[in-house]
Amino acid sequence: MKRKIAVIMASVMMLSMFILSGCGSSDDEKKDPDIQVNVSVAGPNIEEYKNIEIENLKEINREDFKVVQIEVYAEYSEKYSDMKMTVPKFKDNCGIADDIQRYISGDSSLNENDIDRISKYEENFVLYTKGMTEKDIKTLLNKHKLTVEYKNSDGETEKQEIALGDSAKFIK
């Protein structure tokens, strides 16, 4: 519960920073569409670790797990329309690696608002990482591609594909 409140507060603060950071720049200086990706990988706190339940694993340690938090925020001007994020479920895409069930549990949300011209995607999950290096984790996360599509002023569809592992920051 505390973690969800912290995630909500962090999201509100991040959204406020994004809005305020745009106040000082002109439209010409600002990237359009502006797509920001944050991926953090950290060990679980004690409460998160207590909630991990795995039937087939014995003798697990807190160091065998990572909590992955993905946040994608997109904002676009009236030059673009119909922005859509296509987000494959991590559990389905990369849940198993090396014949080991790596995805333990998690949740995600996607909010798209064409009126306010913003889209936001969040996903948080626990990953079993025993035997994996940071490079292995990034490779696994890169299988999870996020696609952002939108129409430009000529009505043509433009598309950006984002490999989430490339954005991963490991928190010690």
Side-chain angles (χ1 to χ4, degrees):
M1 183 65 172
K2 289 180 184 178
R3 177 135 178 103
K4 287 190 179 200
I5 292 172
V7 169
I8 291 170
M9 290 182 68
S11 297
V12 169
M13 289 175 46
M14 188 182 313
L15 182 59
S16 298
M17 288 189 312
F18 291 141
I19 292 170
L20 291 175
S21 67
C23 291
S25 62
S26 71
D27 287 342
D28 293 335
E29 296 172 352
K30 201 172 167 186
K31 186 178 173 188
D32 190 13
D34 182 18
I35 301 170
Q36 300 177 14
V37 178
N38 293 307
V39 180
S40 66
V41 181
N45 64 34
I46 292 171
E47 199 61 39
E48 290 166 331
Y49 179 67
K50 286 180 184 178
N51 291 326
I52 295 173
E53 295 179 15
I54 304 174
E55 294 177 18
N56 299 332
L57 292 178
K58 300 195 181 348
E59 298 183 32
I60 61 172
N61 295 311
R62 190 169 158 196
E63 295 79 30
D64 294 340
F65 300 92
K66 297 289 184 214
V67 175
V68 179
Q69 293 184 314
I70 300 168
E71 295 176 338
V72 181
Y73 178 82
E75 182 177 5
Y76 54 102
S77 73
E78 60 278 348
K79 294 190 297 187
Y80 301 99
S81 64
D82 300 327
M83 180 174 281
K84 300 288 180 223
M85 286 189 196
T86 305
V87 187
K89 298 286 183 203
F90 193 89
K91 180 179 182 178
D92 298 337
N93 234 21
C94 311
I96 297 175
D98 307 324
D99 295 323
I100 298 172
Q101 178 64 37
R102 297 291 183 175
Y103 180 96
I104 304 302
S105 63
D107 58 13
S108 65
S109 67
L110 174 63
N111 298 307
E112 297 175 319
N113 184 331
D114 207 34
I115 294 171
D116 293 332
R117 300 186 180 288
I118 60 171
S119 294
K120 187 174 183 181
Y121 168 69
E122 294 179 326
E123 185 170 3
N124 301 304
F125 55 92
V126 176
L127 197 61
Y128 177 62
T129 58
K130 184 173 185 174
M132 296 180 79
T133 64
E134 286 184 6
K135 183 179 178 185
D136 295 335
I137 295 169
K138 283 186 172 193
T139 299
L140 185 64
L141 291 172
N142 274 338
K143 291 181 183 178
H144 185 66
K145 302 260 194 263
L146 174 99
T147 304
V148 181
E149 289 187 38
Y150 44 90
K151 292 186 180 177
N152 62 25
S153 57
D154 295 331
E156 298 169 345
T157 300
E158 293 184 29
K159 180 166 133 177
Q160 291 186 36
E161 191 170 84
I162 301 166
L164 296 174
D166 293 342
S167 301
K169 292 183 180 44
F170 290 82
I171 301 169
K172 304 291 177 186

